[in-house]
Amino acid sequence: VPVYRLASDAGFTGLVSAAGARLSRPAQLESVELQGILTPLHLRASRRGNDPSRSPAMLLRPEIGVVPFHGRTELTAALINWCLDTEIEVGVRMLTGPGGQGKTRMAHHLAEHLLQRSPSTEDSPRWVCGFLDADADEPKLAVLADTDAPLLIVVDYAETRSQQLRRLPHHR
């Protein structure tokens, strides 16, 4: 039985909770195969560290989610439609803008939306979403070619990772 089906079953999640573990939703499942390639959304760390006591500004980090995402409904809908377009086998979208405008927050919101989606069929895998690890080299990136699940890879600060990005399209 695929793990995502167990995690979607209320009886199973109830037993897990009763045993003292925490599994409140399928979006908390992580792809073991992509460990070291993608950082799950809830583990995304600032380039300066992830200690909230360092600055109140840490509360603005997308993974902290103190303030719910709002607005940008047209852009959100366009990105969701792009992700769900079955005619596109491999696609690349780039969000650009000055720092602090919400590009990372938008990508995080899009990924959260995809993670909450029900699979198209009972046997279809759920979305796998995460931030591309800066240290993921070519051998690690090759694993992406074997991923059967729909995949959203967020590349923050892409302008600093051109060599790594050149290798991505060859692997899916």
Side-chain angles (χ1 to χ4, degrees):
V1 176
V3 172
Y4 65 85
R5 289 183 64 193
L6 288 174
S8 299
D9 182 80
F12 176 78
T13 56
L15 289 171
V16 170
S17 295
R22 188 170 165 258
L23 179 63
S24 61
R25 58 189 175 128
Q28 291 180 333
L29 298 176
E30 299 168 14
S31 172
V32 174
E33 294 84 3
L34 299 179
Q35 188 174 20
I37 302 169
L38 293 183
T39 301
L41 302 179
H42 67 281
L43 296 178
R44 175 78 169 118
S46 165
R47 293 192 309 173
R48 294 179 202 92
N50 210 21
D51 180 5
S53 66
R54 294 181 70 162
S55 165
M58 286 298 292
L59 297 174
L60 299 175
R61 296 288 311 155
E63 66 277 7
I64 304 295
V66 173
V67 177
F69 186 89
H70 67 279
R72 300 191 179 185
T73 53
E74 288 181 25
L75 177 58
T76 300
L79 290 170
I80 290 168
N81 289 336
W82 172 72
C83 287
L84 300 178
D85 186 344
T86 57
E87 299 292 315
I88 301 172
E89 186 174 338
V90 176
V92 176
R93 288 292 291 256
M94 184 167 49
L95 296 179
T96 62
Q101 298 299 306
K103 300 175 298 294
T104 302
R105 183 73 189 260
M106 178 75 239
H108 196 277
H109 176 67
L110 172 64
E112 283 288 342
H113 178 85
L114 294 172
L115 288 170
Q116 295 303 316
R117 288 187 61 81
S118 296
S120 55
T121 68
E122 191 173 301
D123 293 326
S124 297
R126 290 186 171 271
W127 277 83
V128 174
C129 305
F131 287 84
L132 183 65
D133 285 354
D135 297 332
D137 56 13
E138 192 156 3
K140 286 183 179 179
L141 293 175
V143 174
L144 296 174
D146 296 327
T147 304
D148 291 331
L151 183 63
L152 176 68
I153 301 170
V154 178
V155 184
D156 222 354
Y157 303 100
E159 70 277 8
T160 66
R161 301 163 72 177
S162 59
Q163 288 184 339
Q164 186 184 39
L165 293 177
R166 277 189 216 109
R167 294 181 179 104
L168 275 177
H170 302 290
H171 293 292
R172 180 83 171 165

